[in-house]
Amino acid sequence: MRASGGGDGLIEDCDIRTWYRLWGKRLSQTTPGMLISALDIECKAAGGRLVRASTWSTALSQHCLCGERVRKTLRDREHKCIACGLVGKRDPVSAALATFGRFTDVDDPKTAYLDTTRSRHAQILYAEALEEALRESTTPSPKPPRRSGRVATPERPVPAPRAVPSSPFGELRIKS
């Protein structure tokens, strides 16, 4: 599902009856119909609506953020793109792709398509942010100065513990 600023949500247009034929009573443990109804209510409460996208035209689980088609069976739960090297769990990658779903007619799920130009741009931004985070984590931080035991002298008395402004957890003190 995709949630945008206006409360709109995007889900794949699936026939749940087919799921029940395939998995029977086991499916009643997850109740997808109730989940979809709840999502619809939440989207309406946020001032938007729940929109369905065709799985044939978007193939969210069969694409990568770079725009390449990465074929998988239903059993494959890992996304591995040979073109760009993106590796991740299948469902979160599909959810990320859903944010780039577009429509020529919002009321017709078959007109949904993926905006791969925007998804590639997002992938580049993600890669840059990841690279920056890795760089920061591998940069050695300056070592704090070694603290020797504080000795009170007439010129430098040992300071009293400072009180921290009150918090919802009561009065806190910092040991020094």
Side-chain angles (χ1 to χ4, degrees):
M1 183 186 132
R2 165 190 71 157
S4 63
D8 290 338
L10 177 97
I11 61 171
E12 289 183 326
D13 187 32
C14 302
D15 187 1
I16 296 172
R17 294 175 299 185
T18 306
W19 294 3
Y20 275 100
R21 277 196 302 271
L22 291 171
W23 295 296
K25 290 183 181 179
R26 289 181 290 171
L27 195 62
S28 63
Q29 295 171 351
T30 59
T31 60
M34 289 176 65
L35 175 63
I36 292 171
S37 296
L39 289 173
D40 189 35
I41 291 167
E42 288 294 320
C43 288
K44 286 178 182 171
R49 66 186 204 163
L50 189 65
V51 182
R52 295 172 182 263
S54 170
T55 56
W56 289 101
S57 59
T58 58
L60 294 175
S61 63
Q62 302 294 319
H63 281 92
C64 182
L65 285 171
C66 69
E68 282 295 313
R69 189 157 183 119
V70 181
R71 298 199 182 272
K72 299 183 237 7
T73 65
L74 282 174
R75 191 170 288 219
D76 298 330
R77 305 313 302 162
E78 190 81 14
H79 173 86
K80 295 177 186 171
C81 181
I82 296 170
C84 69
L86 179 68
V87 176
K89 296 196 180 295
R90 177 187 182 131
D91 294 335
V93 172
S94 297
L97 272 173
T99 61
F100 303 104
R102 301 292 179 259
F103 292 87
T104 52
D105 178 11
V106 178
D107 295 320
D108 184 7
K110 293 178 184 168
T111 64
Y113 65 96
L114 284 175
D115 187 350
T116 55
T117 304
R118 292 185 69 197
S119 70
R120 274 189 232 117
H121 180 67
Q123 183 192 28
I124 291 167
L125 292 176
Y126 173 75
E128 288 172 357
L130 184 62
E131 188 177 299
E132 178 69 24
L134 285 172
R135 223 177 307 135
E136 287 176 6
S137 69
T138 57
T139 304
S141 58
K143 291 183 180 179
R146 291 188 70 194
R147 291 183 72 176
S148 60
R150 292 189 177 195
V151 177
T153 63
E155 298 86 32
R156 195 179 81 172
V158 174
R162 299 183 315 258
V164 176
S166 83
S167 72
F169 305 107
E171 191 68 25
L172 302 175
R173 294 200 167 270
I174 298 175
K175 293 183 180 179
S176 58

